[in-house]
Amino acid sequence: MDEVVVTSRIRLARNLSDVPFTIKMNDYDAGLVIDKVRDVISRNKQYKFDFYEIRKLPLLKRQVLIEKHLISPALVSSKIKSAVAIDQNENISIMINEEDHLRIQVLYRGQNIQMAWEDANRIDDFLEEHLPYAYDETWGYLTSCPTNVGTGLRASFMLHLPALTLLGYMKEIIETITKLGIAVRGFYGEGSEVVGNLYQISNQITLGQPEEDIIANVISITNQIIEQERQARLKLLNENRAFIEDKVYRSFGILKYARNISSNEALKLISDVRMGISMGIIKEVTIDKIDVLLNLIQPAMIQDYFGREMTPEERDIKRAELIRKILD
Amino acid sequence: MLCENCGKRPATVHYTQIINGVKTEMHLCEVCAKQKGTIEFDTPFSVTNFLAGILEPAFGSQVMKPSFEIQITCKGCGMTFEEFKRTGRFGCAMCYNSFSEKLYPIFRRIHGNTKHVGKIPTKMGENIAIKREIDKLKIELNIAIKNEEFEKAAEIRDKIRELEKKLARE
Ligand SMILES: [Zn+2]
Ligand SMILES: [Zn+2]
């Protein structure tokens, strides 16, 4: 797996033309859209989807789906009935009644944006065949928010950029790529903070460019950032080897021996170790394994893993236990 | 970091709210966050505010003379243009037509563009695809004429006529 690109994601925003958008929807309309979409999805033969109505899901399960990035926090806090269809490999999710009637999302590990786009496009074609999409000749796919109109497409990468961050280059990079129409966000998307040196970057413009160009643009900027991160890691290793080795091994040590650890602290330490593996400093753990950990340490995932609800204090203890087990 | 509310447990839920341009950060433990009844990571405030920021300058000139403006209301969902500006959200597909004239400056500000050139849904797409092809051919026609390639120009013109006939039939 890639040492810089953690995940690749495509999202398509779609709406139906014969129902008010979610801001003007009542629960009756919302139920209609859910029923309609559920019926159409069940007819798809290519993918097998599980269907969940959010209100019927236990709180913990909802949080788990957020932490797996299969649904957005906005879907959960929706004031109207909302639902999601998730394919059995957990790469594809179709959110219903989030900000738009439909949000088709495909998420893959590593640098697989092209594959994600092909899946999303195929599912979009299938849904469009059976549902009356809101589409205008001039403005393309009509979305609830004017920032998504046109293609309704968001192509994004989750990037792990510890060296650029450590060297203090991120502020400048963010300023530059923002000018190129690229948005930078934290771990949980809009409004969330950057933790564990994980940055989400995505296109901002959705109107006036074909999908392929939008994706190519994000890929091209991502490739430049990857190259800069690689250079930064080399620089760190060449000029500050003792410092970097100490930092990586200390973090590895804490992860391996801690008895009580918060998710934020764990994320920071995992970030150091992840960088250390790519630099060849740590050899006994793979990046794949570390990325599994990256997911598992989150609050709801911990409880899901151990199969019961826990207080935050208890979670911190169990988190440390789980990390020791996986790193062993 | 400790929770700002109880000061006992570590803060694990972090909010950034931007209301009227004022940024407030809150760091709470999960227990306190649950008590406050707001367990979202993502606040809609930031998006709306961001949009309001984009929308405002586009209406700079109109802000000066609001009293003369007739309120536009969407026939589909009853949303007023004021309401759209405030929420940054359309109420239905018809809003786009209802507010049509006013959307160009907004889209130009956000996207630098006002015309979709991407995917066309196949079901409703054939006409649109033909129109797009005609637009493309017209540009080629102009280039051909400018370069005095009259034979080629005639060919392109015939193609355009054929496509236009096809459009009329449908
Ligand atoms: Zn507290
Ligand atoms: Zn409307």
Side-chain angles (χ1 to χ4, degrees), chain B residues 17-28:
Chain B
Q17 286 193 351
I18 304 169
I19 298 165
N20 297 328
V22 182
K23 193 171 150 187
T24 343
E25 282 186 42
M26 270 207 290
H27 308 279
L28 301 174

Side-chain angles (χ1 to χ4, degrees), chain B residues 24-35:
Chain B
T24 343
E25 282 186 42
M26 270 207 290
H27 308 279
L28 301 174
C29 72
E30 208 157 304
V31 179
C32 292
K34 260 189 194 142
Q35 273 169 6

Side-chain angles (χ1 to χ4, degrees), chain B residues 19-116:
Chain B
I19 298 165
N20 297 328
V22 182
K23 193 171 150 187
T24 343
E25 282 186 42
M26 270 207 290
H27 308 279
L28 301 174
C29 72
E30 208 157 304
V31 179
C32 292
K34 260 189 194 142
Q35 273 169 6
K36 286 192 184 286
T38 44
I39 195 72
E40 330 157 24
F41 291 87
D42 202 353
T43 65
F45 297 108
S46 56
V47 187
T48 311
N49 189 270
F50 159 72
L51 258 180
I54 293 174
L55 298 181
E56 263 340 303
F59 296 103
S61 56
Q62 279 148 8
V63 171
M64 309 304 286
K65 41 173 181 172
S67 47
F68 299 107
E69 245 191 294
I70 301 158
Q71 190 55 259
I72 306 171
T73 307
C74 172
K75 286 181 206 77
C77 66
M79 178 176 269
T80 62
F81 190 70
E82 273 305 314
E83 196 181 345
F84 163 67
K85 261 170 68 182
R86 205 177 58 242
T87 57
R89 297 278 185 280
F90 292 107
C92 75
M94 275 169 80
C95 284
Y96 279 84
N97 270 331
S98 309
F99 307 145
S100 170
E101 284 312 307
K102 296 181 161 243
L103 294 180
Y104 286 97
I106 298 175
F107 289 167
R108 197 165 289 120
R109 275 195 83 83
I110 300 175
H111 301 285
N113 264 302
T114 55
K115 182 139 183 55
H116 176 62

Side-chain angles (χ1 to χ4, degrees), chain A residues 21 121 124 138 143-144 190, chain B residues 30 42 90-91 96 111 116 119:
Chain A
F21 290 175
N121 198 20
D124 184 42
T138 306
T143 53
S144 165
E190 187 134 29
Chain B
E30 208 157 304
D42 202 353
F90 292 107
Y96 279 84
H111 301 285
H116 176 62
K119 190 172 172 180

